[in-house]
Coordinates of all heavy atoms in Angstrom, one line a residue:
M1171 N -17.3 -54.9 -31.6 CA -18.6 -55.3 -31.1 C -18.8 -54.5 -29.8 O -19.9 -54.0 -29.6 CB -18.6 -56.8 -30.9 CG -19.9 -57.3 -30.6 SD -20.9 -57.1 -32.0 CE -22.0 -58.4 -31.8
M1172 N -17.9 -54.5 -28.9 CA -18.0 -53.8 -27.7 C -18.2 -52.3 -27.9 O -18.9 -51.6 -27.1 CB -16.8 -54.0 -26.8 CG -16.9 -53.4 -25.5 SD -16.4 -54.6 -24.3 CE -16.6 -53.8 -22.8
M1173 N -17.6 -51.7 -28.9 CA -17.7 -50.3 -29.2 C -19.2 -50.0 -29.6 O -19.6 -48.9 -29.3 CB -16.8 -50.0 -30.4 CG -15.9 -48.9 -30.4 SD -15.5 -48.1 -28.9 CE -15.2 -46.5 -29.6
K1174 N -19.8 -50.9 -30.3 CA -21.2 -50.6 -30.7 C -22.1 -50.5 -29.5 O -23.1 -49.8 -29.5 CB -21.7 -51.7 -31.7 CG -21.1 -51.6 -33.0 CD -21.7 -52.7 -33.9 CE -21.1 -52.6 -35.3 NZ -21.6 -53.5 -36.2
R1175 N -21.8 -51.2 -28.4 CA -22.6 -51.2 -27.2 C -22.3 -50.0 -26.4 O -23.2 -49.4 -25.7 CB -22.4 -52.5 -26.4 CG -22.9 -53.7 -27.0 CD -22.8 -54.9 -26.2 NE -23.2 -56.1 -26.8 CZ -23.0 -57.3 -26.4 NH1 -22.3 -57.5 -25.3 NH2 -23.4 -58.3 -27.1
L1176 N -21.1 -49.5 -26.4 CA -20.6 -48.4 -25.6 C -21.0 -47.0 -26.2 O -21.3 -46.1 -25.5 CB -19.1 -48.4 -25.3 CG -18.6 -49.4 -24.4 CD1 -17.1 -49.4 -24.3 CD2 -19.2 -49.2 -23.0
L1177 N -21.1 -47.0 -27.5 CA -21.4 -45.8 -28.2 C -22.8 -45.2 -27.8 O -22.8 -44.0 -27.4 CB -21.3 -45.9 -29.7 CG -21.4 -44.7 -30.5 CD1 -20.3 -43.7 -30.2 CD2 -21.4 -45.0 -32.0
P1178 N -23.9 -45.9 -27.8 CA -25.1 -45.3 -27.3 C -25.1 -44.9 -25.8 O -25.7 -43.9 -25.5 CB -26.1 -46.5 -27.5 CG -25.5 -47.4 -28.5 CD -24.1 -47.3 -28.3
L1179 N -24.4 -45.6 -25.0 CA -24.2 -45.3 -23.6 C -23.5 -44.0 -23.5 O -23.9 -43.1 -22.7 CB -23.5 -46.4 -22.8 CG -23.3 -46.2 -21.4 CD1 -24.7 -46.0 -20.6 CD2 -22.5 -47.3 -20.7
L1180 N -22.4 -43.8 -24.2 CA -21.6 -42.6 -24.1 C -22.4 -41.4 -24.7 O -22.4 -40.3 -24.1 CB -20.3 -42.7 -24.9 CG -19.2 -43.6 -24.3 CD1 -18.1 -43.8 -25.2 CD2 -18.8 -43.1 -22.9
M1181 N -23.1 -41.6 -25.7 CA -24.0 -40.5 -26.3 C -25.0 -40.1 -25.3 O -25.3 -38.9 -25.2 CB -24.6 -41.0 -27.6 CG -23.6 -41.2 -28.7 SD -22.7 -39.7 -29.1 CE -23.9 -38.8 -30.0
G1182 N -25.6 -41.1 -24.6 CA -26.6 -40.8 -23.6 C -26.1 -40.0 -22.5 O -26.7 -39.0 -22.0
L1183 N -24.9 -40.3 -22.0 CA -24.2 -39.6 -21.0 C -23.9 -38.1 -21.4 O -24.1 -37.2 -20.6 CB -23.0 -40.3 -20.5 CG -23.2 -41.5 -19.7 CD1 -21.8 -42.2 -19.4 CD2 -23.9 -41.2 -18.4
L1184 N -23.4 -38.0 -22.6 CA -23.1 -36.7 -23.1 C -24.4 -35.8 -23.2 O -24.4 -34.6 -22.8 CB -22.4 -36.7 -24.5 CG -21.0 -37.2 -24.5 CD1 -20.5 -37.4 -25.9 CD2 -20.1 -36.2 -23.8
L1185 N -25.4 -36.4 -23.7 CA -26.7 -35.6 -23.8 C -27.3 -35.3 -22.5 O -27.8 -34.2 -22.3 CB -27.7 -36.4 -24.7 CG -27.3 -36.5 -26.2 CD1 -28.4 -37.3 -26.9 CD2 -27.3 -35.1 -26.8
A1186 N -27.1 -36.2 -21.5 CA -27.6 -35.9 -20.2 C -26.9 -34.8 -19.5 O -27.4 -33.9 -18.8 CB -27.6 -37.2 -19.3
G1187 N -25.6 -34.7 -19.8 CA -24.7 -33.7 -19.2 C -25.1 -32.3 -19.9 O -25.0 -31.3 -19.2
C1188 N -25.4 -32.3 -21.1 CA -25.8 -31.1 -21.8 C -27.2 -30.6 -21.4 O -27.5 -29.4 -21.5 CB -25.7 -31.2 -23.3 SG -24.1 -31.5 -23.9
A1189 N -28.0 -31.5 -21.0 CA -29.4 -31.2 -20.7 C -29.6 -30.5 -19.3 O -30.7 -29.9 -19.1 CB -30.3 -32.5 -20.7
T1190 N -28.6 -30.6 -18.5 CA -28.8 -29.9 -17.2 C -28.9 -28.4 -17.4 O -28.1 -27.8 -18.1 CB -27.7 -30.3 -16.2 OG1 -26.5 -29.8 -16.7 CG2 -27.6 -31.7 -15.9
H1191 N -29.8 -27.8 -16.7 CA -30.0 -26.4 -16.8 C -30.0 -25.7 -15.5 O -30.8 -26.0 -14.6 CB -31.4 -26.2 -17.5 CG -31.7 -24.7 -17.7 ND1 -31.0 -23.9 -18.6 CD2 -32.6 -23.9 -17.2 CE1 -31.5 -22.7 -18.6 NE2 -32.5 -22.7 -17.7
E1192 N -29.1 -24.8 -15.3 CA -29.0 -24.0 -14.1 C -29.6 -22.6 -14.3 O -29.3 -22.0 -15.3 CB -27.6 -23.9 -13.6 CG -27.0 -25.2 -13.2 CD -25.5 -25.1 -12.7 OE1 -25.2 -23.9 -12.3 OE2 -24.8 -26.0 -12.8
N1193 N -30.4 -22.2 -13.3 CA -30.9 -20.8 -13.4 C -30.1 -19.9 -12.6 O -30.5 -19.3 -11.6 CB -32.4 -20.8 -12.8 CG -33.3 -21.5 -13.8 OD1 -33.1 -21.5 -15.0 ND2 -34.4 -22.0 -13.2
A1194 N -28.8 -19.8 -13.0 CA -27.9 -18.9 -12.3 C -28.1 -17.5 -12.8 O -28.3 -17.2 -13.9 CB -26.5 -19.3 -12.5
A1195 N -28.1 -16.6 -11.8 CA -28.3 -15.1 -12.2 C -27.0 -14.7 -12.9 O -25.9 -15.1 -12.5 CB -28.5 -14.3 -10.9
P1196 N -27.1 -13.8 -13.9 CA -25.9 -13.3 -14.6 C -25.1 -12.5 -13.6 O -25.6 -11.8 -12.7 CB -26.5 -12.5 -15.7 CG -27.9 -12.2 -15.3 CD -28.4 -13.3 -14.4
M1197 N -23.8 -12.5 -13.8 CA -22.9 -11.8 -12.9 C -22.5 -10.5 -13.5 O -21.4 -10.2 -13.9 CB -21.6 -12.6 -12.8 CG -21.7 -14.0 -12.1 SD -22.3 -13.8 -10.4 CE -20.9 -13.2 -9.6
K1198 N -23.5 -9.6 -13.6 CA -23.3 -8.3 -14.1 C -23.9 -7.3 -13.1 O -24.5 -7.7 -12.1 CB -23.9 -8.1 -15.4 CG -25.4 -8.3 -15.5 CD -25.8 -8.1 -17.0 CE -27.3 -8.3 -17.1 NZ -27.8 -8.1 -18.4
A1199 N -23.7 -6.1 -13.3 CA -24.2 -5.0 -12.3 C -25.7 -5.1 -12.2 O -26.4 -5.3 -13.2 CB -23.8 -3.7 -12.8
Q1200 N -26.2 -4.9 -11.0 CA -27.6 -4.8 -10.8 C -28.0 -3.4 -10.7 O -27.2 -2.5 -10.4 CB -27.9 -5.6 -9.5 CG -27.5 -7.0 -9.5 CD -27.5 -7.6 -8.1 OE1 -27.8 -6.9 -7.1 NE2 -27.3 -8.9 -8.0
N1201 N -29.3 -3.1 -10.8 CA -29.8 -1.8 -10.6 C -29.6 -1.5 -9.1 O -29.9 -2.2 -8.2 CB -31.3 -1.7 -10.9 CG -31.5 -1.8 -12.4 OD1 -30.6 -1.5 -13.2 ND2 -32.7 -2.2 -12.8
A1202 N -29.1 -0.3 -8.8 CA -28.9 0.1 -7.5 C -30.2 0.4 -6.7 O -31.0 1.1 -7.2 CB -28.0 1.3 -7.5
K1203 N -30.3 -0.2 -5.6 CA -31.5 0.1 -4.7 C -31.0 0.5 -3.3 O -31.4 -0.1 -2.4 CB -32.4 -1.2 -4.7 CG -33.1 -1.5 -6.0 CD -34.0 -2.6 -5.9 CE -34.8 -2.9 -7.1 NZ -34.1 -3.2 -8.3
A1204 N -30.1 1.4 -3.3 CA -29.5 1.8 -2.0 C -30.5 2.9 -1.4 O -31.2 3.5 -2.1 CB -28.2 2.4 -2.2
N1205 N -30.4 3.0 -0.1 CA -31.1 4.0 0.6 C -30.7 5.4 0.0 O -29.6 5.7 -0.2 CB -30.6 3.9 2.1 CG -31.2 4.9 3.0 OD1 -31.5 6.0 2.6 ND2 -31.2 4.6 4.3
P1206 N -31.7 6.2 -0.2 CA -31.4 7.5 -0.9 C -30.4 8.4 -0.1 O -29.6 9.0 -0.6 CB -32.8 8.2 -1.0 CG -33.8 7.1 -1.0 CD -33.2 6.0 -0.1
A1207 N -30.5 8.4 1.3 CA -29.6 9.2 2.1 C -28.2 8.6 1.9 O -27.2 9.3 1.9 CB -30.1 9.2 3.5
R1208 N -28.1 7.3 1.9 CA -26.8 6.6 1.8 C -26.2 6.9 0.4 O -25.0 7.3 0.3 CB -26.9 5.1 2.0 CG -25.5 4.4 1.9 CD -25.6 3.0 1.8 NE -26.0 2.4 3.0 CZ -26.1 1.1 3.2 NH1 -26.0 0.3 2.2 NH2 -26.5 0.6 4.4
S1209 N -27.0 6.8 -0.6 CA -26.4 7.0 -2.0 C -26.0 8.5 -2.2 O -25.0 8.8 -2.8 CB -27.4 6.6 -3.0 OG -28.6 7.4 -3.0
L1210 N -26.8 9.4 -1.6 CA -26.4 10.8 -1.6 C -25.1 11.1 -0.9 O -24.2 11.8 -1.4 CB -27.5 11.7 -1.1 CG -27.3 13.2 -1.2 CD1 -27.1 13.6 -2.7 CD2 -28.5 14.0 -0.6
G1211 N -25.0 10.5 0.3 CA -23.7 10.6 1.0 C -22.5 10.0 0.3 O -21.4 10.6 0.3
M1212 N -22.7 8.9 -0.4 CA -21.7 8.3 -1.2 C -21.3 9.2 -2.4 O -20.1 9.4 -2.7 CB -22.1 6.9 -1.7 CG -22.1 5.8 -0.6 SD -22.2 4.2 -1.3 CE -23.9 4.1 -1.7
E1213 N -22.3 9.8 -3.0 CA -22.1 10.7 -4.1 C -21.3 11.9 -3.7 O -20.3 12.3 -4.3 CB -23.4 11.1 -4.8 CG -23.2 12.0 -5.9 CD -24.5 12.4 -6.6 OE1 -25.5 11.7 -6.4 OE2 -24.5 13.4 -7.3
N1214 N -21.7 12.5 -2.5 CA -21.0 13.7 -2.0 C -19.5 13.4 -1.7 O -18.6 14.1 -2.0 CB -21.7 14.3 -0.8 CG -23.0 15.0 -1.2 OD1 -23.1 15.4 -2.4 ND2 -23.9 15.0 -0.3
L1215 N -19.3 12.2 -1.0 CA -17.9 11.8 -0.6 C -17.1 11.5 -1.9 O -15.9 11.9 -2.0 CB -18.0 10.6 0.3 CG -16.6 10.1 0.8 CD1 -15.9 11.2 1.5 CD2 -16.8 8.8 1.6
C1216 N -17.7 10.9 -2.9 CA -17.0 10.7 -4.1 C -16.6 12.0 -4.8 O -15.5 12.1 -5.3 CB -17.9 9.8 -5.1 SG -17.2 9.4 -6.6
K1217 N -17.5 12.9 -4.8 CA -17.2 14.2 -5.4 C -16.1 14.9 -4.7 O -15.2 15.5 -5.3 CB -18.5 15.1 -5.5 CG -19.5 14.8 -6.5 CD -20.6 15.7 -6.5 CE -21.6 15.5 -7.6 NZ -22.7 16.5 -7.6
E1218 N -16.1 14.9 -3.4 CA -15.1 15.5 -2.6 C -13.7 14.8 -2.8 O -12.7 15.6 -3.0 CB -15.4 15.4 -1.1 CG -16.5 16.3 -0.6 CD -17.0 16.0 0.8 OE1 -16.2 15.3 1.5 OE2 -18.0 16.5 1.2
R1219 N -13.7 13.5 -2.9 CA -12.4 12.8 -3.1 C -11.9 13.1 -4.5 O -10.7 13.3 -4.7 CB -12.5 11.3 -2.9 CG -12.9 11.0 -1.5 CD -11.7 11.1 -0.6 NE -12.0 10.9 0.8 CZ -11.8 9.8 1.5 NH1 -11.1 8.8 0.9 NH2 -12.1 9.7 2.8
A1220 N -12.8 13.1 -5.5 CA -12.4 13.4 -6.9 C -11.9 14.8 -7.0 O -10.9 15.1 -7.7 CB -13.5 13.1 -7.8
A1221 N -12.6 15.7 -6.4 CA -12.2 17.1 -6.5 C -10.8 17.3 -5.9 O -9.9 18.1 -6.4 CB -13.2 18.0 -5.8
E1222 N -10.5 16.6 -4.8 CA -9.2 16.7 -4.1 C -8.1 16.1 -5.0 O -7.1 16.7 -5.2 CB -9.3 16.0 -2.8 CG -8.1 16.1 -1.9 CD -8.3 15.3 -0.6 OE1 -9.3 15.6 0.0 OE2 -7.4 14.5 -0.3
R1223 N -8.4 15.0 -5.6 CA -7.4 14.3 -6.5 C -7.2 15.1 -7.8 O -6.0 15.2 -8.2 CB -8.0 12.9 -6.9 CG -7.3 12.2 -7.9 CD -6.0 11.5 -7.5 NE -6.1 10.5 -6.5 CZ -6.3 9.2 -6.6 NH1 -6.5 8.7 -7.8 NH2 -6.4 8.4 -5.6
Y1224 N -8.2 15.7 -8.4 CA -8.1 16.4 -9.6 C -7.9 17.9 -9.5 O -7.9 18.6 -10.5 CB -9.2 16.1 -10.6 CG -9.3 14.6 -11.0 CD1 -10.1 13.7 -10.5 CD2 -8.4 14.2 -12.1 CE1 -10.1 12.4 -10.9 CE2 -8.4 12.9 -12.5 CZ -9.3 12.0 -11.9 OH -9.3 10.7 -12.4
N1225 N -7.8 18.4 -8.3 CA -7.5 19.8 -8.0 C -8.6 20.7 -8.6 O -8.3 21.6 -9.4 CB -6.1 20.2 -8.5 CG -5.6 21.4 -7.9 OD1 -6.1 21.8 -6.8 ND2 -4.7 22.1 -8.5
T1226 N -9.8 20.4 -8.2 CA -10.9 21.2 -8.7 C -11.9 21.3 -7.5 O -11.6 20.8 -6.4 CB -11.5 20.7 -10.0 OG1 -12.5 21.6 -10.5 CG2 -12.2 19.3 -9.7
V1227 N -13.1 21.9 -7.8 CA -14.1 22.0 -6.7 C -15.1 20.9 -6.9 O -15.4 20.5 -8.1 CB -14.8 23.4 -6.7 CG1 -13.8 24.5 -6.2 CG2 -15.3 23.8 -8.0
A1228 N -15.7 20.5 -5.9 CA -16.7 19.4 -5.9 C -17.9 19.7 -6.8 O -18.5 18.8 -7.4 CB -17.1 19.0 -4.5
Q1229 N -18.3 21.0 -6.8 CA -19.5 21.4 -7.6 C -19.3 21.1 -9.1 O -20.2 21.1 -9.9 CB -19.8 22.8 -7.3 CG -20.4 23.1 -6.0 CD -19.3 23.2 -4.9 OE1 -18.1 23.3 -5.3 NE2 -19.6 23.2 -3.7
K1230 N -18.0 21.1 -9.6 CA -17.8 20.9 -11.0 C -17.6 19.4 -11.4 O -17.4 19.1 -12.5 CB -16.5 21.7 -11.4 CG -16.7 23.2 -11.3 CD -15.5 23.9 -11.9 CE -15.7 25.4 -11.9 NZ -14.6 26.1 -12.4
I1231 N -17.7 18.5 -10.4 CA -17.6 17.1 -10.7 C -19.0 16.5 -11.0 O -19.9 16.8 -10.3 CB -17.0 16.4 -9.4 CG1 -15.6 16.9 -9.0 CG2 -17.0 14.9 -9.6 CD1 -14.5 16.5 -10.0
D1232 N -19.0 15.8 -12.1 CA -20.3 15.1 -12.5 C -20.2 13.6 -12.2 O -19.4 12.9 -12.7 CB -20.6 15.3 -14.0 CG -20.9 16.8 -14.3 OD1 -21.5 17.4 -13.5 OD2 -20.5 17.2 -15.4
V1233 N -21.2 13.1 -11.4 CA -21.3 11.7 -11.2 C -22.4 11.2 -12.1 O -23.6 11.7 -12.0 CB -21.6 11.4 -9.7 CG1 -21.9 9.9 -9.5 CG2 -20.5 11.8 -8.8
T1234 N -22.1 10.3 -13.0 CA -23.0 9.9 -14.1 C -23.5 8.5 -13.9 O -24.5 8.2 -14.6 CB -22.3 10.0 -15.4 OG1 -21.1 9.2 -15.4 CG2 -21.9 11.5 -15.7
G1235 N -22.9 7.7 -13.1 CA -23.4 6.3 -13.0 C -23.3 5.8 -11.6 O -22.4 6.1 -10.8
F1236 N -24.3 5.0 -11.2 CA -24.3 4.4 -9.9 C -24.7 2.9 -10.1 O -25.8 2.6 -10.5 CB -25.3 5.1 -9.0 CG -25.4 4.7 -7.6 CD1 -24.4 5.1 -6.7 CD2 -26.3 3.8 -7.1 CE1 -24.4 4.8 -5.4 CE2 -26.4 3.4 -5.8 CZ -25.4 3.9 -4.9
E1237 N -23.8 2.0 -9.7 CA -24.0 0.6 -9.9 C -23.8 -0.2 -8.6 O -22.9 0.1 -7.9 CB -23.1 0.0 -11.0 CG -23.4 0.5 -12.4 CD -22.4 -0.1 -13.4 OE1 -21.2 0.0 -13.2 OE2 -22.9 -0.5 -14.4
R1238 N -24.7 -1.2 -8.4 CA -24.5 -2.0 -7.2 C -24.1 -3.4 -7.7 O -24.7 -4.0 -8.6 CB -25.8 -2.1 -6.5 CG -25.6 -2.9 -5.1 CD -26.9 -3.0 -4.4 NE -27.5 -4.3 -4.9 CZ -28.8 -4.6 -4.7 NH1 -29.6 -3.8 -4.2 NH2 -29.2 -5.8 -5.1
F1239 N -23.0 -3.9 -7.1 CA -22.6 -5.2 -7.3 C -22.9 -6.1 -6.1 O -23.5 -5.6 -5.2 CB -21.1 -5.3 -7.6 CG -20.7 -4.5 -8.9 CD1 -20.3 -3.2 -8.9 CD2 -20.9 -5.1 -10.2 CE1 -20.0 -2.5 -10.0 CE2 -20.6 -4.4 -11.3 CZ -20.2 -3.1 -11.2
Q1240 N -22.5 -7.3 -6.1 CA -22.8 -8.2 -5.0 C -22.4 -7.7 -3.7 O -23.1 -7.8 -2.7 CB -22.2 -9.6 -5.3 CG -22.7 -10.7 -4.3 CD -22.3 -12.0 -4.7 OE1 -21.5 -12.2 -5.6 NE2 -22.7 -13.0 -4.0
G1241 N -21.2 -7.2 -3.6 CA -20.7 -6.7 -2.3 C -20.1 -5.3 -2.3 O -19.3 -5.0 -1.4
S1242 N -20.5 -4.5 -3.3 CA -19.9 -3.2 -3.4 C -20.8 -2.3 -4.3 O -21.7 -2.7 -4.9 CB -18.5 -3.2 -3.9 OG -18.5 -3.7 -5.3
Y1243 N -20.4 -1.0 -4.2 CA -21.1 0.0 -5.1 C -20.0 0.7 -5.8 O -18.9 0.9 -5.4 CB -21.8 1.0 -4.2 CG -22.9 0.5 -3.4 CD1 -22.7 0.1 -2.1 CD2 -24.2 0.4 -3.9 CE1 -23.8 -0.3 -1.3 CE2 -25.3 -0.1 -3.2 CZ -25.0 -0.5 -1.9 OH -26.1 -0.9 -1.1
E1244 N -20.3 1.2 -7.1 CA -19.4 1.9 -7.9 C -20.1 3.2 -8.4 O -21.2 3.1 -8.9 CB -18.8 1.1 -9.0 CG -17.8 0.2 -8.7 CD -17.1 -0.4 -9.9 OE1 -17.5 -0.1 -11.1 OE2 -16.1 -1.2 -9.7
L1245 N -19.5 4.3 -8.3 CA -20.0 5.5 -8.8 C -19.0 6.0 -9.9 O -17.8 6.1 -9.6 CB -20.1 6.6 -7.8 CG -21.3 6.5 -6.9 CD1 -21.2 5.5 -5.8 CD2 -21.6 7.9 -6.3
R1246 N -19.5 6.2 -11.1 CA -18.6 6.7 -12.2 C -18.9 8.2 -12.4 O -20.0 8.7 -12.2 CB -19.0 6.0 -13.5 CG -18.7 4.5 -13.4 CD -19.0 3.8 -14.7 NE -18.8 2.4 -14.6 CZ -17.6 1.8 -14.7 NH1 -16.5 2.5 -14.9 NH2 -17.5 0.5 -14.5
G1247 N -17.9 8.9 -12.8 CA -18.0 10.3 -13.0 C -16.9 10.9 -13.9 O -16.0 10.2 -14.3
Y1248 N -17.0 12.3 -14.1 CA -16.1 13.0 -14.9 C -15.8 14.3 -14.3 O -16.6 14.9 -13.6 CB -16.7 13.2 -16.3 CG -16.9 12.0 -17.1 CD1 -18.1 11.3 -17.1 CD2 -15.8 11.4 -17.8 CE1 -18.2 10.1 -17.8 CE2 -16.0 10.3 -18.5 CZ -17.2 9.6 -18.5 OH -17.3 8.4 -19.2
T1249 N -14.6 14.8 -14.6 CA -14.2 16.1 -14.1 C -14.5 17.2 -15.2 O -14.9 16.8 -16.3 CB -12.6 16.1 -13.9 OG1 -12.0 16.0 -15.1 CG2 -12.2 15.0 -12.9
P1250 N -14.3 18.5 -14.9 CA -14.5 19.5 -15.9 C -13.6 19.3 -17.1 O -14.0 19.8 -18.2 CB -14.2 20.8 -15.2 CG -14.3 20.5 -13.7 CD -14.0 19.0 -13.6
R1251 N -12.5 18.7 -17.0 CA -11.6 18.4 -18.1 C -11.8 17.1 -18.8 O -11.0 16.5 -19.5 CB -10.1 18.5 -17.6 CG -9.7 19.9 -17.1 CD -8.3 20.0 -16.7 NE -8.0 19.2 -15.5 CZ -8.1 19.6 -14.3 NH1 -8.5 20.8 -14.0 NH2 -7.9 18.8 -13.3
N1252 N -13.0 16.5 -18.5 CA -13.5 15.2 -19.1 C -12.6 14.1 -18.7 O -12.4 13.1 -19.5 CB -13.6 15.4 -20.6 CG -14.6 14.4 -21.2 OD1 -15.5 14.0 -20.5 ND2 -14.5 14.1 -22.4
E1253 N -12.0 14.0 -17.5 CA -11.2 12.9 -17.0 C -12.2 12.0 -16.2 O -12.9 12.4 -15.4 CB -10.1 13.4 -16.1 CG -9.1 14.3 -16.8 CD -8.3 15.1 -15.8 OE1 -8.8 15.8 -15.0 OE2 -7.0 15.0 -15.9
G1254 N -12.2 10.7 -16.6 CA -13.1 9.8 -16.0 C -12.5 9.2 -14.7 O -11.3 9.1 -14.5
F1255 N -13.4 8.8 -13.8 CA -13.0 8.2 -12.5 C -14.1 7.3 -12.0 O -15.2 7.4 -12.5 CB -12.6 9.2 -11.5 CG -13.8 10.1 -11.1 CD1 -14.6 9.7 -10.0 CD2 -14.0 11.3 -11.7 CE1 -15.7 10.6 -9.7 CE2 -15.1 12.1 -11.4 CZ -15.9 11.7 -10.3
V1256 N -13.7 6.4 -11.1 CA -14.7 5.5 -10.5 C -14.4 5.5 -9.0 O -13.3 5.3 -8.6 CB -14.6 4.1 -11.0 CG1 -15.5 3.1 -10.3 CG2 -14.9 4.0 -12.5
C1257 N -15.4 5.7 -8.2 CA -15.3 5.6 -6.7 C -15.9 4.3 -6.3 O -17.0 4.0 -6.7 CB -16.1 6.8 -6.0 SG -15.4 8.4 -6.3
S1258 N -15.2 3.6 -5.5 CA -15.7 2.3 -5.0 C -16.1 2.4 -3.5 O -15.3 3.0 -2.7 CB -14.7 1.2 -5.2 OG -14.4 1.0 -6.6
F1259 N -17.2 1.7 -3.2 CA -17.6 1.7 -1.8 C -18.0 0.2 -1.4 O -18.3 -0.5 -2.3 CB -18.9 2.5 -1.6 CG -18.7 4.0 -1.8 CD1 -18.7 4.6 -3.1 CD2 -18.5 4.8 -0.7 CE1 -18.5 5.9 -3.3 CE2 -18.3 6.2 -0.9 CZ -18.3 6.7 -2.2
D1260 N -17.8 -0.1 -0.2 CA -18.2 -1.5 0.2 C -19.7 -1.6 0.4 O -20.4 -0.7 0.2 CB -17.4 -1.9 1.5 CG -17.8 -1.1 2.7 OD1 -18.7 -0.3 2.7 OD2 -17.1 -1.3 3.7
A1261 N -20.1 -2.8 0.8 CA -21.6 -3.0 1.0 C -22.2 -2.1 2.0 O -23.4 -1.8 1.9 CB -21.8 -4.5 1.3
N1262 N -21.5 -1.6 3.0 CA -22.0 -0.7 4.0 C -22.0 0.7 3.6 O -22.4 1.6 4.4 CB -21.2 -0.9 5.3 CG -21.3 -2.3 5.9 OD1 -22.4 -2.9 5.8 ND2 -20.2 -2.8 6.5
G1263 N -21.4 1.0 2.4 CA -21.4 2.4 2.0 C -20.1 3.1 2.4 O -20.0 4.3 2.3
D1264 N -19.1 2.4 2.9 CA -17.8 3.0 3.3 C -16.9 3.1 2.1 O -16.8 2.2 1.3 CB -17.2 2.2 4.4 CG -18.0 2.1 5.7 OD1 -18.6 3.1 6.0 OD2 -18.0 1.1 6.3
F1265 N -16.3 4.3 2.0 CA -15.4 4.5 0.8 C -14.2 3.6 0.8 O -13.6 3.3 1.8 CB -14.8 6.0 0.9 CG -14.0 6.4 -0.2 CD1 -14.6 6.8 -1.4 CD2 -12.6 6.4 -0.1 CE1 -13.8 7.2 -2.5 CE2 -11.8 6.7 -1.2 CZ -12.4 7.1 -2.4
L1266 N -13.9 3.0 -0.4 CA -12.8 2.1 -0.5 C -11.7 2.8 -1.3 O -10.6 2.9 -0.8 CB -13.2 0.8 -1.3 CG -14.2 -0.1 -0.6 CD1 -14.6 -1.2 -1.5 CD2 -13.6 -0.6 0.7
H1267 N -11.9 3.2 -2.5 CA -10.9 3.9 -3.3 C -11.4 4.6 -4.5 O -12.6 4.4 -4.9 CB -9.8 2.9 -3.7 CG -10.3 1.9 -4.7 ND1 -10.9 0.7 -4.3 CD2 -10.2 1.8 -6.1 CE1 -11.2 0.0 -5.4 NE2 -10.8 0.7 -6.5
L1268 N -10.6 5.5 -5.1 CA -10.9 6.2 -6.2 C -9.9 5.8 -7.3 O -8.7 5.8 -7.2 CB -10.7 7.7 -6.0 CG -10.8 8.7 -7.1 CD1 -12.3 8.7 -7.6 CD2 -10.4 10.1 -6.7
S1269 N -10.5 5.4 -8.5 CA -9.7 4.9 -9.6 C -9.8 5.9 -10.7 O -10.9 6.3 -11.1 CB -10.2 3.5 -10.1 OG -10.1 2.6 -9.0
M1270 N -8.7 6.2 -11.4 CA -8.7 7.0 -12.6 C -9.0 6.2 -13.8 O -8.4 5.1 -13.9 CB -7.4 7.8 -12.7 CG -7.2 8.8 -11.6 SD -5.7 9.7 -11.8 CE -4.6 8.7 -10.8
R1271 N -9.8 6.6 -14.7 CA -10.1 5.8 -15.9 C -9.8 6.6 -17.1 O -9.9 7.7 -17.3 CB -11.6 5.4 -15.9 CG -12.0 4.6 -14.8 CD -11.5 3.2 -15.0 NE -11.5 2.4 -13.7 CZ -12.1 1.3 -13.5 NH1 -12.8 0.8 -14.4 NH2 -12.0 0.7 -12.3

């Protein structure tokens, strides 16, 4: 008998919990809206670091992607030998590290 009274109450609580809707922004990369001078500086620094790491000249390095995350920037690129890399920068545009991909 008690179960018959609790069942509608439990169902109501479950449905109320499912009905809450949060408008949270998705946690994926956003379109980069960095200052053009800053982004060009980051690109040049990334090319220099990648050229040094891969023993080539910066003019032969291709930077193909620029993404802004919540607290950082990432630049993706390739060497003349088609080796992928990612340069990471902090929110201020300071170089963090170069990752080989």
